[in-house]
Amino acid sequence: PDGSLWGGGSNNYGQFGDGNWTGHQIDPVQLESSGVTAVSAGVAYSLIVKNDGSLWAAGSNAYGQLGDGTTENRLSRVKVVDANVTAVFAGHSQSLFLKTDGTLWGMGRNQYGQLGDGTTEDRHAPVKVVDDGVVAMAAGTGHTLFLKEDGSLWAMGWNHRGQLGDGTTQNQHFPV
């Protein structure tokens, strides 16, 4: 693990973050030579964490999922958070990240309440969702799950088929 980052496949929104729009890349290309500790790819966008704990994003940003305060697509990576990020997860159009203090943050599409902030408003900049104790997270098309250090599993967002596991089919705008 040298911390390098490589990419391949579609780059139609600049999700490689290398400043180029290349359509499709059949062979892998090096995007960072070192310093990358975590990466996640969503639908036409990407998130990376560097070894200084900073969070960077590139690509499609229609819902603010890059977290840079805009809805402008980015061909080059933009810094979203300066430090203390440990993990990222790019969902369909919502982004999640964990910080060293166990807080969970989200940004992007929130149509079903999948960011867990009590609203259905898209968020173009990071919002804190959980104050502490989060150790892992995942996201689906319109829902989000996270695991706390006590072993409890929490969910929020789209629940049309009971995917949140709370015994209902009601969307949840706060973690349950």
Side-chain angles (χ1 to χ4, degrees):
D2 61 3
S4 64
L5 177 66
W6 294 74
S10 180
N11 189 31
N12 55 338
Y13 285 88
Q15 54 265 46
F16 285 3
D18 63 355
N20 297 305
W21 176 86
T22 56
H24 291 85
Q25 181 66 41
I26 295 172
D27 296 318
V29 294
Q30 189 171 30
L31 303 174
E32 291 282 336
S33 60
S34 64
V36 176
T37 61
V39 63
S40 188
V43 175
Y45 75 102
S46 63
L47 305 171
I48 68 168
V49 178
K50 292 190 177 182
N51 57 11
D52 63 359
S54 60
L55 172 61
W56 298 75
S60 175
N61 197 25
Y63 301 100
Q65 62 266 41
L66 300 185
D68 68 350
T70 77
T71 56
E72 295 177 31
N73 297 341
R74 301 293 183 181
L75 294 176
S76 296
R77 274 186 279 290
V78 293
K79 186 189 279 189
V80 179
V81 178
D82 290 330
N84 300 317
V85 176
T86 61
V88 290
F89 196 96
H92 187 274
S93 299
Q94 80 267 28
S95 302
L96 307 167
F97 63 91
L98 294 180
K99 295 186 89 174
T100 55
D101 61 2
T103 55
L104 175 65
W105 296 74
M107 57 223 180
R109 193 164 194 183
N110 198 25
Q111 177 182 8
Y112 304 106
Q114 61 263 47
L115 296 182
D117 67 349
T119 76
T120 56
E121 295 176 34
D122 295 346
R123 299 298 184 176
H124 304 157
V127 293
K128 188 191 298 185
V129 179
V130 180
D131 289 331
D132 62 10
V134 179
V135 296
M137 75 264 166
T141 300
H143 67 289
T144 299
L145 305 167
F146 64 89
L147 182 66
K148 293 197 81 175
E149 60 193 3
D150 65 4
S152 59
L153 179 63
W154 296 76
M156 58 254 191
W158 200 18
N159 199 23
H160 74 295
R161 295 204 171 119
Q163 60 265 49
L164 300 185
D166 67 347
T168 76
T169 55
Q170 180 179 348
N171 295 347
Q172 300 293 338
H173 301 161
F174 288 104
V176 295

